[in-house]
Amino acid sequence: MGRYPRKRFGQHFLADPGIAEKIVGLARLSGTERVVEIGPGLGALTERLIRGARELWLIEVDADLAARLRDRYGAQPQVHVVEADVLRVDMAHLLGPGAPPVVVANLPYNIATAVLAALLDRPHGVARMVLMLQREVAARLYAVPGSKEYGTLSVLTQLAARVRPALRVAPGAFVPRPKVVSEVVLVEPHAQPPVRVADRATFKRLVRAVFTQRRKQLRNSMRLLCRDAEAVLCQARIDPMRRPETLTLAEFAALSDALN
């Protein structure tokens, strides 16, 4: 194409066909699914997704790459090239009525968590997601209480979806080579949340607040949220001297409901 990858878009293009086959295999396409690929780039995954998708949307922010995708796939009526920043796309309007889509993406590291949050907040949801992320970010998604990776991203993601590590990807699979190891995760939104939460906004506010002071005891970190933190913790039957990284999803739900 006569140009270099653009750093401002975080471009690291997948160049290993074996890895591409494994990623698309994780999507478990039967030929009946609507599929959204975020950041198709040079099309390493696209070539394989077309074979299994009933309809395919390619969301690409880079104008040159979007033009290339239109040239390559424009004649195929089931493929739709969308030149846009995915964080500005109204997915429900774009896709219209129909079954929730499968999302496949090699996400730029600088927007990965924002894209995941936006997808999990969709009112009509997604069927499942196969996402390539920086390994450290992926580990936070499925981290367990008591681990150093466990935090806000872990709790909010696990309330909305089941996350499973699927594939470790070395820097040599990309052009240019990133300075970090990547990991593919399978994210499957829950049909019903694993715990009941009376008010999602309160739950999110609580989790974000206490993890900004994760080394403090809850009786101290919750003072930003209420006047009598110890009374709220007592109502939720949680020891005020515990720290946020020790709480399970169910305990956060109980604490959120007590606070609410």
Side-chain angles (χ1 to χ4, degrees), residues 9-251:
F9 292 143
Q11 290 176 338
H12 295 277
F13 300 112
L14 183 63
D16 185 321
I19 296 294
E21 287 286 354
K22 290 179 181 178
I23 292 172
V24 174
L26 290 168
R28 306 192 310 272
L29 300 179
S30 65
T32 62
E33 293 86 358
R34 307 195 305 165
V35 179
V36 174
E37 184 184 3
I38 299 170
L42 295 174
L45 299 177
T46 310
E47 288 287 339
R48 294 159 176 84
L49 290 171
I50 285 176
R51 303 172 200 160
R54 176 171 62 85
E55 203 163 6
L56 177 62
W57 283 264
L58 306 174
I59 303 177
E60 176 57 60
V61 69
D62 186 310
D64 293 341
L65 296 181
R68 182 175 184 268
L69 291 166
R70 283 191 291 268
D71 287 343
R72 293 183 69 178
Y73 305 116
Q76 301 188 48
Q78 80 277 24
V79 180
H80 316 281
V81 179
V82 181
E83 183 183 325
D85 178 347
V86 67
L87 292 174
R88 297 176 180 270
V89 171
D90 181 338
M91 202 75 74
H93 178 75
L94 176 69
L95 301 182
V102 175
V103 175
V104 181
N106 172 18
L107 291 175
Y109 299 141
N110 59 334
I111 65 166
T113 56
V115 171
L116 176 61
L119 291 170
L120 291 175
D121 278 344
R122 283 196 64 215
H124 303 294
V126 296
R128 57 189 169 276
M129 294 175 257
V130 182
L131 306 178
M132 176 104 72
L133 307 164
Q134 183 176 340
R135 183 178 63 180
E136 288 76 11
V137 173
R140 289 163 56 198
L141 298 183
Y142 54 80
V144 297
S147 64
K148 65 179 182 179
E149 294 86 5
Y150 188 69
T152 301
L153 185 61
S154 316
V155 176
L156 297 184
T157 300
Q158 290 170 30
L159 179 67
R162 179 189 182 202
V163 184
R164 288 187 288 147
L167 182 65
R168 191 72 56 85
V169 184
F174 300 90
V175 175
R177 291 171 61 105
K179 295 179 180 179
V180 299
V181 174
S182 301
E183 187 168 47
V184 180
V185 293
L186 181 60
V187 182
E188 298 172 299
H190 297 301
Q192 294 293 331
V195 296
R196 187 192 68 82
V197 174
D199 185 80
R200 287 281 185 117
T202 301
F203 184 91
K204 290 180 180 181
R205 186 163 55 94
L206 165 69
V207 172
R208 287 169 177 152
V210 297
F211 274 113
T212 60
Q213 304 179 75
R214 63 180 296 136
R215 300 308 305 156
K216 286 189 175 183
Q217 296 175 350
L218 287 165
R219 62 183 177 183
N220 295 320
S221 60
M222 284 188 62
R223 285 177 181 170
L224 298 172
L225 299 170
C226 57
R227 291 181 180 180
D228 193 347
E230 295 211 20
V232 176
L233 286 156
C234 181
Q235 183 178 334
R237 298 182 179 180
I238 294 172
D239 183 348
M241 296 179 68
R242 288 176 64 182
R243 291 180 169 83
E245 69 263 27
T246 68
L247 266 60
T248 65
L249 195 61
E251 288 174 319

